């Protein structure tokens, strides 16, 4: 046994969002969330455990650059969780590579912590099922719990550590949707989602969202089952707008939008109303807008976005599989 493993894991885009925690230590969310795992935006991670004791500390590189101790902190904390679960104290050499730009509005923490979990556990020889890995990944980043599964995925909030896990609702080939990210700013966000989750409960609107989200989850499950974009779209827009209302009314306020964000929201409304294009938006913790549509109109949406002066770049992804083991290791 080499104590080394490499996995490629897709990021995901949530249709019903996770925002806010009831237990910050365990990352137990305020509500269930539903997402689509992405085929074309992924992280590849190699974890090599130093069983011979050559390293004096963990060594972590991201996209070829060694991370400073401050930037490596969350990853080292996660390696500590894996060490504690396995009852070992080896240092690790971690190399990770994203095929999409960081701060592009695609969640690198989702694919990153999912890949770190599955590669790290596999390299330790821990033969745990995907549900257990989902619970472990959740501790690194909540949305990572969903990237352990391919296709369309729901994370049950649960109330205990082992209950707060994701599962697949439909495989990736169930529905040929597209997530088209319109990048309006590639600047790194000032408040991380990890800190944002702690602020959610300070918003006077958080309770209103919690009450309604149960019904929206039912709607999204049904729209996915029926592959009904006209039913899915309005709910994902409502949920994203409500989550951003919670963010904006937190104390301190989190205002992630830029003028370009608003320009795209207006454009999407026009394309639907005036041109009959069934395209809908969702927005994560940043200014970039994810446009969701079926595959047949994706080229038209991409070319319209490319003509907008507010849009810096466009990244499109299809629904993707769960973690893929790779034989070649990153160094
Ligand atoms: O997993 P985190 O802590 O990066 O939080 C993700 C939060 C959102 O992307 C805004 C919503 C979601 O459910 O993915």
């Amino acid at each position: 046994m080499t104590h080394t493993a490499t996995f490629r894991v897709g990021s995901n885009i949530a249709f019903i969002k996770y925002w806010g925690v009831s237990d910050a230590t365990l990352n137990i969310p305020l509500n269930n969330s539903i997402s689509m795992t992405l085929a074309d935006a992924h992280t590849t991670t190699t974890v090599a455990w130093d069983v011979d004791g050559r390293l004096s500390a963990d060594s972590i590189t991201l996209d070829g650059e060694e991370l400073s101790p401050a930037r490596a902190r969350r990853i080292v904390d996660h390696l500590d969780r894996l060490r504690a679960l396995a009852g070992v104290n080896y240092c690790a050499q971690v190399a990770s590579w994203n095929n999409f730009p960081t701060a592009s509005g695609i969640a690198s923490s989702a694919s990153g912590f999912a890949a770190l979990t599955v590669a790290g556990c596999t390299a330790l020889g821990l033969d745990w099922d995907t549900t257990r890995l989902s619970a472990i990944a959740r501790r690194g980043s909540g949305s990572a719990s969903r990237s352990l599964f391919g296709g369309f995925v729901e994370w049950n909030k649960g109330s205990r550590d082992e209950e707060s896990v994701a599962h697949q609702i439909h495989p990736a080939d169930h529905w040929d949707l597209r997530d088209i990210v319109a990048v309006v700013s590639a600047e790194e966000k000032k408040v991380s989602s990890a800190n944002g989750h702690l602020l959610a409960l300070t918003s006077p609107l958080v309770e209103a969202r919690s009450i309604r989200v149960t019904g929206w989850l039912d709607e999204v499950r049904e729209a996915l089952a029926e592959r009904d974009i006209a039913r899915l779209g309005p709910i994902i827009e409502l949920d994203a707008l409500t989550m951003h209302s919670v963010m904006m009314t937190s104390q301190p306020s989190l205002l992630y939008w830029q003028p370009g964000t608003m320009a795209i929201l207006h454009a999407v409304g026009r394309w639907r109303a005036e041109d009959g294009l069934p395209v809908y938006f969702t927005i994560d913790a940043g200014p970039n807008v994810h446009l969701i549509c079926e595959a047949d109109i994706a080229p038209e949406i991409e070319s319209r976005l490319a003509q907008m002066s507010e849009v810096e770049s466009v990244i499109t992804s299809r629904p993707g599989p769960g973690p893929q083991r790779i034989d070649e290791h990153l160094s």
Side-chain angles (χ1 to χ4, degrees):
M1 195 178 134
T2 64
H3 288 90
T4 301
T6 301
F7 277 82
R8 173 167 298 162
V9 179
S11 182
N12 67 74
I13 179 67
F15 294 153
I16 296 292
K17 310 284 193 188
Y18 146 56
W19 194 250
V21 281
S22 59
D23 181 326
T25 312
L26 289 178
N27 258 357
I28 305 285
L30 293 177
N31 57 269
N32 287 21
S33 50
I34 294 181
S35 59
M36 176 173 91
T37 298
L38 303 177
D40 304 296
H42 48 72
T43 301
T44 305
T45 299
T46 298
V47 179
W49 293 102
D50 175 36
V51 288
D52 302 326
R54 267 174 280 195
L55 295 175
S56 55
D58 297 318
S59 149
I60 295 153
T61 61
L62 178 59
D63 296 329
E65 273 184 42
E66 178 102 30
L67 293 188
S68 65
R71 288 197 64 207
R73 190 67 253 163
R74 270 178 82 187
I75 297 165
V76 172
D77 287 348
H78 202 62
L79 291 169
D80 285 343
R81 284 182 198 111
L82 303 189
R83 283 187 274 260
L85 285 164
V88 299
N89 58 6
Y90 319 131
C91 291
Q93 191 157 359
V94 178
S96 199
W97 177 80
N98 292 327
N99 81 326
F100 54 91
T102 318
S104 61
I106 297 174
S108 57
S109 64
S111 48
F113 279 97
L116 183 66
T117 303
V118 63
C121 288
T122 304
L124 282 168
L126 301 169
D127 187 21
W128 289 338
D129 65 16
T130 317
T131 304
R132 182 151 187 203
L133 296 178
S134 172
I136 299 167
R138 186 199 78 236
R139 301 284 306 277
S141 163
S143 55
S145 67
R146 300 186 306 241
S147 274
L148 261 306
F149 296 89
F152 301 87
V153 178
E154 178 158 0
W155 169 19
N156 285 317
K157 64 176 178 172
S159 54
R160 287 179 296 122
D161 183 34
E162 64 278 15
E163 274 175 12
S164 187
V165 290
H167 66 274
Q168 185 181 70
I169 314 178
H170 301 288
D173 63 2
H174 171 73
W175 193 4
D176 203 12
L177 286 181
R178 292 290 179 274
D179 173 20
I180 306 173
V181 189
V183 178
V184 299
S185 166
E187 243 178 68
E188 213 152 321
K189 57 190 171 208
K190 289 181 189 74
V191 180
S192 70
S193 43
N195 288 332
H197 290 297
L198 302 174
L199 295 179
L201 287 169
T202 67
S203 163
L205 303 182
V206 74
E207 220 174 299
R209 176 165 185 260
S210 289
I211 292 166
R212 279 158 188 83
V213 100
T214 313
W216 298 343
L217 286 159
D218 290 339
E219 284 276 335
V220 165
R221 278 186 219 108
E222 283 174 31
L224 288 176
E226 292 161 8
R227 301 184 193 86
D228 186 345
I229 191 80
R231 193 164 175 200
L232 179 75
I235 301 290
I236 70 174
E237 290 193 349
L238 183 58
D239 181 59
L241 292 173
T242 313
M243 178 184 76
H244 279 271
S245 305
V246 169
M247 292 164 161
M248 289 176 198
T249 53
S250 292
Q251 283 143 47
S253 166
L254 295 179
L255 179 55
Y256 286 112
W257 296 6
Q258 294 293 333
T261 313
M262 202 53 133
I264 297 168
L265 302 197
H266 283 291
V268 169
R270 271 198 314 274
W271 298 344
R272 271 207 309 269
E274 292 169 15
D275 309 321
L277 285 169
V279 56
Y280 299 86
F281 66 79
T282 184
I283 313 168
D284 277 347
N288 303 319
V289 185
H290 293 246
L291 300 194
I292 307 296
C293 63
E294 293 186 294
D296 57 340
I297 64 160
E300 173 67 24
I301 303 301
E302 286 164 353
S303 83
R304 287 179 181 224
L305 286 172
Q307 285 162 34
M308 291 181 70
S309 59
E310 295 86 353
V311 176
E312 286 179 10
S313 61
V314 172
I315 304 169
T316 299
S317 188
R318 298 160 296 155
Q324 309 285 304
R325 191 166 187 169
I326 309 264
D327 292 333
E328 220 169 289
H329 301 306
L330 301 177
S331 51

